[in-house]
Amino acid sequence: MCIPQNLADLLRDLARPDDGVEHVVVHPHPGRGVTVGVYLLSDRLREAEETAARLCGRAVTEIGPLSGWAVGRSEAPLLAPYGLDGVMDH
C-alpha cells in the first residue's frame, strides 16, 4: 500500500474544529501499515480514543489513496495537564 507523503497534513485538514486535534504524526511500518499519532484535547480518555478512531475512519473513506485501508485499533495515553506532572502522583 502506498502511504501518502503528506498523510499527517491530510489528516489535520480532515479534522473538524470540534475534534480538538492539535498535532498529527505518521509512522510508516513497511509491509505492516502505519501508526498514526493524533494529539488532541479532550476531557475524557474514551472520548479522545473515539475522536481519533472517527478521524482515521473518515480518512480511509475520504482520502483517495487510503481506499481499502482499515483502522486496526485506537488507543490513547492519558497525559497530565502541562505543569501538573508531579501533582498527580500524590
Side-chain angles (χ1 to χ4, degrees), residues 32-83:
R32 297 182 302 153
V34 64
T35 299
V36 176
V38 180
Y39 297 81
L40 52 88
L41 300 175
S42 178
D43 292 334
R44 308 227 184 307
L45 179 61
R46 181 178 300 250
E47 183 179 296
E49 292 172 337
E50 290 171 353
T51 299
R54 273 194 312 276
L55 175 62
C56 291
R58 285 196 313 265
V60 298
T61 60
E62 296 182 30
I63 298 175
L66 302 184
S67 179
W69 287 35
V71 177
R73 65 180 194 242
S74 178
E75 301 170 338
L78 183 60
L79 302 175
Y82 179 75

Side-chain angles (χ1 to χ4, degrees), residues 1 10 14 16-17 27 32-33 48 52 54 60 66 69-70 80 86 88:
M1 294 186 175
L10 294 171
L14 191 60
R16 298 175 180 148
H27 302 283
R32 297 182 302 153
R54 273 194 312 276
V60 298
L66 302 184
W69 287 35
M88 302 302 280

